[in-house]
Amino acid sequence: LVSQDVHVVAGAMLKLFAGTARATNAQAFVDQTREYDELLASANPLVRRSVQMQMQQRTHPLPVKRVSELTKWFASKDYARIMRVHGEKDR
């Protein structure tokens, strides 16, 4: 909500995940999250279940999953509604 730009947030998260302050390509990372979702959706049920089980055992989601969910939320009607209702008040 603060930056209102998914690529800014993805770039910051990528630098944190990678442990570097060097230039990173946030767009490529966002593209990788889409590819991850597409591959997982088309995978056989055993692979999908295996990934679900691995996610349940983690204390934090994989970086690619975090950015994927952020991208989906940024494109959602809920986000648009929040920005429509509260976005103008804060300017």
Side-chain angles (χ1 to χ4, degrees):
L1 286 175
V2 173
S3 74
Q4 299 177 10
D5 184 345
V6 71
H7 293 96
V8 170
V9 177
M13 293 175 88
L14 179 58
K15 287 179 182 184
L16 287 171
F17 302 144
T20 183
R22 291 185 295 177
T24 55
N25 189 337
Q27 181 60 50
F29 192 49
V30 170
D31 293 343
Q32 288 173 1
T33 65
R34 288 189 191 113
E35 183 179 0
Y36 173 84
D37 285 340
E38 291 168 3
L39 290 172
L40 190 57
S42 65
N44 73 50
L46 290 175
V47 170
R48 287 195 305 266
R49 182 65 185 139
S50 175
V51 170
Q52 288 173 347
M53 289 174 60
Q54 290 174 12
M55 291 294 208
Q56 290 174 349
Q57 296 173 358
R58 299 180 66 86
T59 57
H60 295 78
L62 292 172
V64 68
K65 189 67 175 164
R66 286 180 173 191
V67 174
S68 171
E69 292 301 317
L70 174 69
T71 303
K72 289 175 193 173
W73 182 71
F74 186 76
S76 74
K77 291 179 182 178
D78 290 335
Y79 177 81
R81 182 182 51 79
I82 290 169
M83 293 311 300
R84 187 175 55 252
V85 171
H86 299 287
E88 293 300 319
K89 291 179 184 177
D90 296 335
R91 290 183 188 190

